[in-house]
Amino acid sequence: MTTVSPHAPWSYVLQLPHDPRAPRVARKTLRAVLNGHGMTERLDTAELLACELVTNAYRHSDGQATLRLRHMEGGWLRISVWDTNPVIPAPFDKPPGAVRPVPTPAPAAHSGGRGLLLVQLCADNWGGYPLGDDLFGRSGKLLWCELAPTTERAQAA
C-alpha cells in the first residue's frame, strides 16, 4: 500500500452554484479535507477565511464560484475562490507584497463589509487577480489568502 507524505503538496477543488448554502458547503468540505490531512490546528481560521471568501463571491456575483484548497511546499495553506464578477474589491486589488493599508472596520450601521476585513486580519498573505476570458469562456476574479505553517505562525505570535 502506498502512503502519502503529510508534507506533500495537494489540491482540492469544489464547484459551488450561486446558492445561499454555498458557504456552508464550503465550510463542511474544508473541514473534511483538513481533518483528513491531520491539519486540525488550522481548521478554525481556514474555515473562517474560506467562508468569508465564498460569501463574498455569492453576494457580489451572479454565477457559480470555485473554491480551491491547496497545501503548498513549505507547509503553507492557500485558500482561493474564483467568481464571475471581474471587480476586485479593495484592498485585494493591490499586488502581493505591496504596501497595504491598515484594515479599518465598516461603520457599525452597516450590516456587511466585514468579511474581507476578517480575511486581512487572520491570513498571513492575501491578494486578488482579474481573470480574462479563457478558452472555456471563464472570466471574473480570483481572491486568495494563505496561512503560514503552524510553526511560523507560532513564532510570529
Side-chain angles (χ1 to χ4, degrees):
M1 181 164 128
T2 306
T3 58
V4 177
S5 166
H7 304 293
W10 48 257
S11 179
Y12 290 83
V13 177
L14 175 65
Q15 300 291 335
L16 297 160
H18 190 260
D19 185 292
R21 295 168 287 204
R24 181 171 165 242
V25 171
R27 281 194 315 271
K28 288 186 172 285
T29 301
L30 179 136
R31 188 166 282 278
V33 168
L34 294 187
N35 274 325
H37 283 280
M39 299 176 73
T40 56
E41 71 283 348
R42 297 191 205 179
L43 228 148
D44 292 336
T45 303
E47 186 177 28
L48 171 71
L49 298 174
C51 184
E52 294 302 337
L53 290 176
V54 171
T55 298
N56 186 70
Y58 172 73
R59 286 187 176 171
H60 300 288
S61 71
D62 58 2
Q64 68 178 353
T66 301
L67 169 69
R68 182 176 184 196
L69 307 173
R70 185 172 168 218
H71 183 252
M72 303 183 307
E73 290 291 334
W76 284 76
L77 177 66
R78 177 175 278 195
I79 301 165
S80 56
V81 174
W82 165 84
D83 68 50
T84 58
N85 183 344
V87 177
I88 300 177
F92 282 73
D93 57 345
K94 305 287 185 266
V99 176
R100 296 178 174 158
V102 175
T104 55
H110 287 86
S111 62
R114 293 176 185 86
L116 295 181
L117 170 67
L118 289 172
V119 174
Q120 287 178 269
L121 293 172
C122 296
D124 295 302
N125 198 10
W126 43 266
Y129 297 100
L131 302 174
D133 291 331
D134 69 6
L135 293 173
F136 304 104
R138 293 182 114 185
S139 62
K141 70 175 171 294
L142 181 79
L143 297 183
W144 59 271
C145 62
E146 294 175 340
L147 292 175
T150 51
T151 55
E152 288 184 35
R153 291 180 70 83
Q155 291 171 355

